[in-house]
Amino acid sequence: MPDSVDNEDTAAASNGGQPELRRRRDRRREEGDAWTGTMPIITPNNSDTPTSTPAPLQSKSWAEAAAAADASAGTTNSPATGDASREEPNREEPGREIPAAAAPASGTVSPESARAARAAAANAPVSDFITSPGSFVKEQKPRPIGGFRGMLYKLTGGAWNLGPSAKQREEDELARRISRQLQGSYNTAVLSLKGGIGKTSTTVGVGLTLAEYRGDPPCAIDANPDSGDLVERALGEGIYQKATPRTITDLLKNVDNVDSLTALARYMHHAGRLHLIAGEQDPEVSDSLTAEEYLRIRQLISGYYSIALTDCGTGVTHNAMSGILSSADNLIIAAGYAVSGAKRARSTLQWLASHGYEDLARNAIVVITDKDEVSSRVDKNAIEEHLAGICRQLIAVPHDRGVADGDLVTLDALRPDTRRAYKEIAAAIVDGYV
């Protein structure tokens, strides 16, 4: 081949074709490169790209090497970077080689590549199974309790699960509202202007309900100046008489020495998880509780209990009431279906609103207990409408012998509708705290 090329060049020069000679020499140079196997590398839009063959990435760990590879690929991979204007270098085209862009020829990771790898590892999204493991597991349908759905679930061993009924979902929602976590300590006062209409039974029933559904036990305080029977209604007369008759008066005498829950427990009574402070039984002493003394008790209780219920007794003007109302977060106004009971409940709310407790009156919960099972002549709907517009919520407790007898109140002995009413009251109380 060289002899023929030289002859062609001599002929072209002798004919005076200098331009033709230069074209022939350029063509010969390109053909010579092809024969020697050194095809020049075509680099897109970057003349400074190294022409050496890619070297394998070397690193101290697999994770770092993988991160470095991802970082180098991400600089030109438009789907990963979100830049649609760049080319995809991994798409092969005929007659074109892929440039070795990121890896240095020495086989080691350069400082720039290491920094890029560390940055890519820091900014890389966490795997889905770490951030949202629930997406890999099907959500379990709640188990139905009672009724046809519960029976079908038991008979099929759980194979047929129709889920909870609407009634059960409502019950679960009440339980969720009652069991909410609270930040701080709160106090609910239970009061009325008339005795014998379910004030103490409501305190015990709601207290036991709070204790059943909450993680922290509530405390009930008997601040009734008329020899209150809160503890007897929660424990039973016989058990209370056998117990050490510690009262709120005993606690007041030693309040400065109570510096722990263990020390406080010596003055408490326990009905399951409901903790109680008994009222004074001596008539000559029971009416002597002052607002300042009650506030000392309330301050002590607030260090150990998130919820306190205070049975205030009858009336709103006895000595301790100013301390009770000033420290209360919300109120329960006890009422009955008798016309006189409804009027007294309304008078209580009006008195509160006109004596500086307008917020307590507006956010009060009126509880109407059908304790005496009034005759059909009484229009219960009219009484409820009479009270509903002047309070936050009105809840009716149906007639129940477990409440009407004036004896021990236990949740197991109550009718389902009565327990449901106490759950609604407990949920409404917690609603007023959050």
Side-chain angles (χ1 to χ4, degrees):
M1 177 179 176
D3 294 336
S4 61
V5 171
D6 290 341
N7 294 334
E8 292 176 0
D9 292 346
T10 303
S14 61
N15 295 331
Q18 291 297 332
E20 179 64 20
L21 177 61
R22 284 195 296 271
R23 284 195 297 270
R24 291 179 181 276
R25 289 178 178 176
D26 292 340
R27 181 168 58 84
R28 185 177 69 249
R29 185 180 295 110
E30 293 175 359
E31 293 175 352
D33 291 338
W35 280 101
T36 56
T38 58
M39 177 70 71
I41 295 177
I42 303 173
T43 57
N45 301 326
N46 189 0
S47 59
D48 297 332
T49 304
T51 58
S52 57
T53 58
L57 293 174
Q58 295 182 1
S59 179
K60 296 180 180 179
S61 66
W62 175 87
E64 186 177 352
D70 292 341
S72 62
T75 58
T76 56
N77 192 346
S78 58
T81 60
D83 187 359
S85 62
R86 297 185 179 180
E87 295 184 40
E88 295 181 9
N90 294 329
R91 183 178 298 171
E92 295 184 359
E93 296 179 5
R96 178 181 176 183
E97 288 190 11
I98 306 300
S106 60
T108 60
V109 179
S110 65
E112 293 77 7
S113 299
R115 284 194 294 269
R118 287 192 294 269
N123 297 326
V126 185
S127 302
D128 288 341
F129 68 87
I130 297 177
T131 57
S132 56
S135 61
F136 294 88
V137 181
K138 292 183 178 179
E139 183 178 359
Q140 185 176 4
K141 187 181 296 184
R143 176 182 175 181
I145 301 175
F148 172 77
R149 294 167 182 252
M151 181 183 66
L152 183 63
Y153 183 88
K154 290 181 179 180
L155 291 177
T156 61
W160 287 8
N161 184 358
L162 302 180
S165 63
K167 183 178 179 180
Q168 183 181 338
R169 291 195 296 270
E170 292 176 358
E171 295 287 333
D172 293 342
E173 175 61 17
L174 286 175
R176 184 198 66 80
R177 289 165 57 193
I178 297 171
S179 61
R180 281 173 293 182
Q181 185 177 5
L182 299 174
Q183 302 296 329
S185 180
Y186 300 89
N187 180 31
T188 295
V190 186
L191 54 93
S192 68
L193 288 182
K194 184 181 184 299
I197 56 176
K199 173 182 56 59
T200 300
S201 61
T202 298
T203 305
V204 176
V206 172
L208 292 173
T209 303
L210 289 168
E212 180 180 5
Y213 289 97
R214 290 193 58 79
D216 50 343
C219 174
I221 306 170
D222 191 344
N224 192 334
D226 301 319
S227 301
D229 60 349
L230 176 68
V231 177
E232 290 95 321
R233 300 294 303 274
L235 297 179
E237 187 73 25
I239 295 178
Y240 177 66
Q241 293 298 332
K242 294 178 182 180
T244 304
R246 301 262 184 187
T247 66
I248 192 171
T249 304
D250 299 319
L251 178 58
L252 278 170
K253 292 178 180 178
N254 300 280
V255 68
D256 293 332
N257 298 323
V258 177
D259 56 359
S260 66
L261 186 58
T262 302
L264 179 60
R266 301 172 186 171
Y267 304 92
M268 308 285 286
H269 302 269
H270 301 84
R273 297 181 66 251
L274 174 61
H275 300 180
L276 305 108
I277 299 178
E280 182 56 56
Q281 299 301 303
D282 187 351
E284 295 183 359
V285 181
S286 60
D287 195 29
S288 63
L289 181 67
T290 65
E292 291 75 15
E293 290 173 336
Y294 173 81
L295 289 175
R296 294 183 68 186
I297 296 294
R298 174 70 189 105
Q299 183 178 6
L300 176 65
I301 295 301
S302 65
Y304 304 102
Y305 297 92
S306 61
I307 294 181
L309 303 176
T310 301
D311 186 352
C312 302
T314 303
V316 291
T317 58
H318 58 81
N319 295 334
M321 278 307 297
S322 61
I324 294 173
L325 293 176
S326 64
S327 63
D329 296 286
N330 53 25
L331 300 178
I332 291 178
I333 308 297
Y337 277 115
V339 176
S340 59
K343 288 182 177 180
R344 286 187 174 92
R346 187 179 184 91
S347 298
T348 302
L349 293 171
Q350 291 174 344
W351 185 92
L352 292 168
S354 61
H355 286 77
Y357 305 106
E358 185 177 356
D359 289 340
L360 288 177
R362 183 173 55 253
N363 295 311
I365 305 164
V366 174
V367 176
I368 302 180
T369 302
D370 191 3
K371 187 175 181 180
D372 299 325
E373 200 169 13
V374 297
S375 67
S376 59
R377 293 177 57 248
V378 177
D379 190 344
K380 295 182 179 180
N381 293 330
I383 292 177
E384 292 178 2
E385 292 176 1
H386 179 72
L387 296 173
I390 58 175
C391 62
R392 173 164 62 91
Q393 191 167 351
L394 186 143
I395 301 173
V397 179
H399 180 76
D400 195 318
R401 290 290 300 273
V403 174
D405 288 345
D407 195 9
L408 175 67
V409 175
T410 59
L411 297 181
D412 293 338
L414 299 178
R415 294 169 50 190
D417 290 345
T418 306
R419 296 193 62 177
R420 168 65 181 264
Y422 285 149
K423 288 178 66 175
E424 292 178 355
I425 298 169
I429 287 175
V430 180
D431 288 343
Y433 298 155
V434 296

